Amino acid sequence: MMLRNSTVILVVFAAATSWGQASAGVPAHRRQPVIATSNADGAAAAARARVAANQQMEEMGATLAKMHSLLKQMRAKTTSSAKDPIAKANLDMWALMLEQLDKQYEQLSLAARARQDLEARRAALYKQADQKASEAAKGAREAQKAAVAEAPQAAQSGSQPAAPAPQAAQTPASSSPN
């Protein structure tokens, strides 16, 4: 019985260790090189990164769920030997570790949601800026067309466009007593 519990504990420990190492960094075979690219390539790379991050979050959630079910099974098996203080201490230790992993997973989930919100706001700002630039370009093209249309009319009439009246440059009187 003790050998079986030890084996189960070692399996859970190995799973937790590998999960911790996997979440600490992306393995070398998953790393994507960082290359300066065009906006379209950058958007595609960002989309791939989001998909990879979401997949890793799902994997972490599934691993945590498995670990919780394993702990539940261990508790069910050790209820018959509840007098064993070592088994109880092991279960308490695993419960504490899973509680900590749950907290870290929740923090990671919150950070992912905040990142998605930030990306959505950034995309909305870029879209708004593109619309303003498009409207400004359209206005400039219309002004240019209007100027081109006025130029032949002025040349046909033979008159020069009236120059604006010069403004009288008045300087305010000095009110200093000097």
Side-chain angles (χ1 to χ4, degrees):
M1 179 74 175
M2 187 65 171
L3 180 61
R4 189 180 315 158
N5 286 342
S6 297
T7 305
V8 171
I9 289 172
L10 286 175
V11 168
V12 171
F13 182 67
T17 303
S18 66
W19 178 68
Q21 288 174 350
S23 66
V26 178
H29 67 277
R30 282 189 176 179
R31 286 192 186 148
Q32 304 256 340
V34 177
I35 301 171
T37 58
S38 68
N39 285 342
D41 291 340
R48 285 192 305 269
R50 278 192 300 271
V51 168
N54 289 340
Q55 182 181 4
Q56 188 175 14
M57 285 287 297
E58 290 174 10
E59 289 173 2
M60 289 167 57
T63 302
L64 267 175
K66 288 177 188 175
M67 291 173 75
H68 277 289
S69 66
L70 244 155
L71 182 61
K72 196 177 221 181
Q73 290 174 2
M74 287 171 55
R75 281 190 173 144
K77 289 180 183 178
T78 57
T79 56
S80 60
S81 63
K83 296 178 182 177
D84 186 11
I86 294 175
K88 186 177 180 191
N90 280 338
L91 288 174
D92 290 343
M93 178 199 59
W94 286 109
L96 286 172
M97 187 177 73
L98 277 177
E99 184 180 317
Q100 182 63 31
L101 290 174
D102 284 337
K103 286 178 185 177
Q104 290 177 357
Y105 180 72
E106 183 61 31
Q107 289 173 349
L108 190 58
S109 296
L110 289 173
R113 279 186 244 132
R115 183 184 66 236
Q116 288 173 346
D117 182 48
L118 183 65
E119 287 175 359
R121 283 192 267 150
R122 181 186 57 81
L125 286 173
Y126 275 122
K127 185 177 180 180
Q128 184 181 19
D130 285 344
Q131 287 174 344
K132 285 182 179 179
S134 175
E135 289 171 2
K138 184 179 177 183
R141 283 191 302 267
E142 289 175 0
Q144 187 178 20
K145 284 180 184 178
V148 169
E150 286 179 11
Q153 291 173 357
Q156 288 176 358
S157 66
S159 63
Q160 299 275 337
Q167 294 179 351
Q170 296 178 351
T171 57
S174 172
S175 62
S176 75
N178 293 340

